[in-house]
């Protein structure tokens, strides 16, 4: 029973903390504007670094500034609306814009994996078609139960 106990910690954008050998940083997402502070996170263990960005449109400039100097072995980036347009989630176009900037600013390590996820059935094609779209951009379309391994 003691093992199941969890501690809840409230964090704000750009705060960092450590827990159980991992370093976490929260970044401001562009989502739920004027309603709440939506966040996404980086997770580091001293060897690997992952950016997990969901429920966001194109990153706010202050988030881009806070990401400066960081690089990631994996970027798990949402792509919710496919060919649709909604500025608080990424579409095919805005996903590729974020990815282009991440790469241009050296935030994806050599051999780093890019995974698209958080697909809406109202705006995205089937998984095989997602793979067809993303493959030329070096992006993998995630799926339920997917396991991601990073090189040692």
């Amino acid at each position: 029973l003691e093992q199941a106990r969890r501690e809840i910690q409230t964090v704000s954008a750009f705060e960092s903390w450590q827990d159980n050998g991992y370093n976490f940083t929260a970044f401001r997402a562009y989502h739920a504007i004027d309603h709440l502070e939506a966040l996404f996170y980086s997770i580091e263990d001293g060897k690997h670094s992952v950016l997990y960005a969901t429920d966001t449109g194109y990153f706010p400039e202050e988030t881009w500034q806070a990401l400066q100097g960081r690089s990631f072995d994996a970027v798990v980036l949402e792509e919710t609306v496919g060919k649709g347009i909604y500025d608080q989630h990424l579409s095919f176009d805005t996903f590729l814009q974020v990815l282009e900037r991440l790469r241009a600013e050296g935030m994806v390590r050599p051999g780093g994996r890019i995974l698209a996820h958080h697909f809406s059935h109202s705006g995205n094609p089937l998984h095989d078609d997602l793979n067809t779209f993303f493959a030329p951009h070096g992006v993998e379309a995630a799926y339920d139960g997917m396991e991601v391994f990073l090189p040692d």
Side-chain angles (χ1 to χ4, degrees):
L1 190 52
E2 187 66 26
Q3 292 175 335
R5 198 172 103 183
R6 299 287 180 239
E7 181 180 322
I8 297 173
Q9 179 179 342
T10 301
V11 298
S12 296
F14 315 116
E15 284 186 44
S16 295
W17 69 97
Q18 295 182 330
D19 188 29
N20 205 22
Y22 294 94
N23 299 312
F24 300 88
T25 301
F27 298 95
R28 179 163 289 119
Y30 188 76
H31 187 72
I33 304 305
D34 299 326
H35 300 294
L36 55 91
E37 183 180 39
L39 305 172
F40 60 81
Y41 304 91
S42 67
I43 306 143
E44 301 176 38
D45 67 0
K47 184 176 183 181
H48 296 103
S49 183
V50 174
L51 182 66
Y52 184 84
T54 193
D55 280 335
T56 187
Y58 192 85
F59 301 171
E61 194 56 37
E62 63 187 336
T63 293
W64 284 111
Q65 294 306 312
L67 286 166
Q68 290 299 308
R70 295 175 181 264
S71 63
F72 303 99
D73 297 293
V75 175
V76 184
L77 185 61
E78 81 132 73
E79 187 287 296
T80 303
V81 297
K83 292 180 182 178
I85 297 172
Y86 180 60
D87 67 349
Q88 295 182 47
H89 283 289
L90 297 176
S91 65
F92 286 150
D93 290 340
T94 53
F95 179 99
L96 295 177
Q97 290 169 12
V98 169
L99 180 56
E100 181 180 329
R101 186 162 177 185
L102 288 167
R103 286 177 169 155
E105 296 192 19
M107 294 178 188
V108 179
R109 294 179 180 167
R113 294 178 69 179
I114 309 297
L115 296 107
H117 78 118
H118 200 256
F119 306 117
S120 165
H121 297 293
S122 62
N124 276 291
L126 297 175
H127 190 262
D128 287 345
D129 295 326
L130 287 168
N131 279 327
T132 298
F133 173 80
F134 284 121
H137 305 284
V139 175
E140 302 168 68
Y143 53 88
D144 291 346
M146 183 178 194
E147 293 184 52
V148 177
F149 297 93
L150 300 175
D152 287 332

